[in-house]
Amino acid sequence: MSSPKDYNLEITPSLDESNLKSLNLLKFTVNHKEKDFINKYKSLLSVILGCSLIAVIGNSYLKTSNVTHTIRDPYVIILSLALSVILLRQTPEDTLIVIRGFGVQLKTKKAWRFQNSTDSFIPIKDMIDLMIHEGFHGYGQVIFYLCVLTRSTAGKGDNVIKVVFPEFLPRKDILLTVWKSSRELLFGSTNRYWRRVPGKGLKQI
C-alpha cells in the first residue's frame, strides 16, 4: 500500500521561469507539512519544563541543603529526561543545494540530534546526469526517486547512484519540479545523451 507522503517542498529563493537563468544557487528542502507534537510546541515545552526543573531543584535544595540528594530527586530526574528529549528532537528534512558551475550538495537531517545526519558534495565534473528512476521500496512498492549518476573512480567499478531526498522519497510531482530546475541550472537547456562504450564506461554523445 502506498504511503500518504504528505510532504512539503520549499524552494529558496522563490522560483519562476523568468528568474531561473539569473540564479546561481537553488535550495530545495523536503519536510513534513505537519510538524509532530514535540517540534510544534518545542519552545513552549522547553520553557515549561525548564522553569519546572529550576523550581524543583531550588525547592529540594532548600529542604535538604544536600546537592547529592537534590540530584537524585525523582522529580528532578524525570524533568531532566523530559527536557533532554525535547531538546534532542529536531525537524527531519532532506535538502538539495544546486550550485551553477560547481555541483550539488546533499543533506539529510534526522529526527533526533544523536542520529547521524549526512552531508555530501558532488562536483559537477563527477556528475553524469540528474535523473528520475523507478524502483522497488519496502514491501514491493514501486516508487519514483531522484538520483545523481556519478562517474566511478579509478579501480572502483561501475558508476555510482546517489539518491536525492533518501529519507522522504517524495512523490513524482515534487521530483519533477526539482529535476527540471536543477538540471537547467547545472547543464543548461541542452539535452544530454549517453551511451556505454566498451572499456570506457558511459560517454556523452
Side-chain angles (χ1 to χ4, degrees):
M1 182 180 293
S2 178
S3 59
K5 292 192 174 184
D6 191 19
Y7 302 144
N8 180 51
L9 174 64
E10 299 174 2
I11 304 176
T12 308
S14 57
L15 183 64
D16 58 61
E17 293 183 0
S18 61
N19 71 349
L20 180 59
K21 292 183 179 180
S22 64
L23 295 175
N24 290 316
L25 184 146
L26 271 176
K27 180 180 179 181
F28 302 93
T29 302
V30 175
N31 49 37
H32 292 285
K33 283 187 177 180
E34 293 293 332
K35 293 183 178 180
D36 58 42
F37 179 81
I38 293 179
N39 283 313
K40 191 173 183 179
Y41 300 104
K42 186 172 185 177
S43 298
L44 178 61
L45 291 172
S46 298
V47 171
I48 293 173
L49 289 173
C51 292
S52 300
L53 181 60
I54 292 172
V56 170
I57 290 175
N59 185 56
S60 178
Y61 185 74
L62 287 174
K63 287 182 178 180
T64 63
S65 297
N66 188 312
V67 176
T68 303
H69 184 274
T70 300
I71 294 174
R72 292 178 179 176
D73 188 304
Y75 292 106
V76 172
I77 295 173
I78 292 172
L79 288 171
S80 298
L81 289 174
L83 184 59
S84 298
V85 169
I86 298 296
L87 295 177
L88 287 173
R89 188 72 174 177
Q90 61 184 358
T91 303
E93 60 183 28
D94 278 330
T95 302
L96 168 68
I97 300 175
V98 184
I99 309 171
R100 187 190 297 274
F102 286 93
V104 298
Q105 187 166 9
L106 309 177
K107 293 183 177 182
T108 295
K109 188 167 70 172
K110 306 282 189 176
W112 298 97
R113 295 184 186 278
F114 55 79
Q115 291 179 299
N116 291 329
S117 297
T118 59
D119 189 345
S120 61
F121 179 76
I122 306 174
I124 196 168
K125 65 181 179 63
D126 293 339
M127 295 175 61
I128 295 175
D129 207 348
L130 182 69
M131 58 187 70
I132 296 176
H133 264 308
E134 190 177 29
F136 289 103
H137 177 68
Y139 295 98
Q141 180 185 357
V142 179
I143 64 167
F144 291 97
Y145 62 93
L146 183 66
C147 65
V148 181
L149 182 60
T150 64
R151 293 182 176 85
S152 60
T153 54
K156 290 191 177 180
D158 295 334
N159 301 296
V160 180
I161 290 178
K162 301 284 187 180
V163 178
V164 182
F165 310 133
E167 286 296 306
F168 288 84
L169 297 172
R171 291 191 179 278
K172 192 177 180 181
D173 56 339
I174 290 180
L175 299 181
L176 285 171
T177 300
V178 176
W179 172 80
K180 182 179 179 181
S181 302
S182 300
R183 210 163 179 271
E184 175 74 19
L185 197 65
L186 287 168
F187 308 122
S189 58
T190 57
N191 293 322
R192 294 164 69 85
Y193 299 100
W194 300 83
R195 67 182 177 88
R196 186 172 293 278
V197 179
K200 296 183 179 180
L202 288 175
K203 294 293 181 181
Q204 187 174 2
I205 58 175

